Amino acid sequence: KAGVTQTPRYLIKTRGQQVTLSCSPISGHRSVSWYQQTPGQGLQFLFEYFSETQRNKGNFPGRFSGRQFSNSRSEMNVSTLELGDSALYLCASSLETRTYEQYFGPGTRLTVT
Amino acid sequence: AQKVTQAQTEISVVEKEDVTLDCVYETRDTTYYLFWYKQPPSGELVFLIRRNSFDEQNEISGRYSWNFQKSTSSFNFTITASQVVDSAVYFCALEAASGTYKYIFGTGTRLKVLA
């Protein structure tokens, strides 16, 4: 069974630009969650999508958005990038809700210059 | 408010030693879930265990064991006879079944197992 895949793995962007990250969950998993990991703030929950609907959202500004497609694939978008958005963005999928175990992808390392 | 505290930032042990990673949580919910994840140097988080608040039974899986104590709001993780491959950052996480379902991670404990 293929694991969670994230593309791209590495990305370098300039302040003010926008970026879209992609996540393909494990086949059959309907829940996709996104997390931001930084040395200073640790792992922080961004949002969760289930059946194409955003079910929960963490404490992040509106510049961070996402969506989920009918095949459960998910994208995350960050607009007007700031230096502080440099982080490892992790996607996780689970069978139903996040109270089930989550399976994480390798992450996308975003660097904002 | 919900919170997860992993007070041990970094632990170093010699191979074959036993080591316990501490996790203390805070929540007002009566229904909640606790998790442990491992993040090896490759960076990919690996699920280790999930425990709901109504199940205080300790669990053992090979060299890994978990001690859940609601009385002290702790969910500690012990590795017996540690191995170099256990070197990683370990995260404890909490999710409450009510409210906004925020999934809270601790700051992690970096475990270094020396040969």
Side-chain angles (χ1 to χ4, degrees):
Chain A
K1 203 175 193 180
V4 177
T5 58
Q6 292 186 244
T7 56
R9 293 292 312 279
Y10 302 91
L11 207 48
I12 299 176
K13 289 285 188 178
T14 304
R15 262 184 309 177
Q17 287 185 317
Q18 76 164 21
V19 66
T20 299
L21 312 182
S22 180
C23 171
S24 292
I26 290 172
S27 178
H29 285 194
R30 298 166 64 190
S31 170
V32 174
S33 297
W34 288 89
Y35 299 85
Q36 181 195 66
Q37 186 175 25
T38 60
Q41 300 297 318
L43 270 160
Q44 292 184 287
F45 169 70
L46 278 157
F47 29 65
E48 181 201 9
Y49 285 87
F50 182 81
S51 292
E52 302 177 64
T53 301
Q54 185 182 88
R55 190 150 59 174
N56 293 288
K57 191 176 192 303
N59 294 326
F60 278 82
R63 299 185 298 107
F64 292 81
S65 63
R67 60 177 175 168
Q68 186 180 34
F69 302 95
S70 58
N71 60 0
S72 292
R73 190 177 71 84
S74 177
E75 287 183 348
M76 183 194 125
N77 184 276
V78 187
S79 62
T80 319
L81 283 165
E82 301 177 359
L83 294 178
D85 297 333
S86 294
L88 180 66
Y89 290 89
L90 294 164
C91 166
S93 76
S94 64
L95 206 53
E96 292 287 337
T97 71
R98 288 182 290 117
T99 54
Y100 282 72
E101 52 264 37
Q102 295 186 78
Y103 295 85
F104 283 79
T108 294
R109 172 76 62 186
L110 171 65
T111 303
V112 182
T113 62
Chain B
Q2 296 173 49
K3 188 178 178 182
V4 175
T5 301
Q6 294 181 258
Q8 305 151 309
T9 305
E10 185 169 313
I11 301 176
S12 291
V13 298
V14 176
E15 208 170 17
K16 296 184 183 176
E17 283 186 358
D18 298 347
V19 59
T20 296
L21 310 183
D22 298 332
C23 173
V24 174
Y25 62 92
E26 289 177 36
T27 180
R28 292 181 182 175
D29 293 275
T30 55
T31 302
Y32 52 89
Y33 300 84
L34 295 164
F35 303 80
W36 275 95
Y37 287 87
K38 173 182 179 180
Q39 188 174 38
S42 61
E44 199 161 324
L45 278 154
V46 177
F47 166 82
L48 294 177
I49 189 171
R50 165 182 176 264
R51 175 68 71 218
N52 74 55
S53 53
F54 299 108
D55 181 5
E56 282 193 79
Q57 203 167 20
N58 292 331
E59 178 149 344
I60 298 175
S61 176
R63 296 183 297 105
Y64 295 170
S65 63
W66 290 269
N67 180 264
F68 177 28
Q69 289 195 334
K70 288 175 76 170
S71 60
T72 55
S73 297
S74 64
F75 186 42
N76 297 337
F77 171 34
T78 297
I79 301 175
T80 303
S82 59
Q83 300 176 2
V84 172
V85 293
D86 296 327
S87 297
V89 180
Y90 291 87
F91 291 93
C92 179
L94 162 71
E95 182 179 22
S98 66
T100 56
Y101 284 80
K102 284 188 181 179
Y103 203 86
I104 307 294
F105 278 88
T107 51
T109 296
R110 181 177 299 278
L111 174 64
K112 292 185 178 179
V113 182
L114 308 172

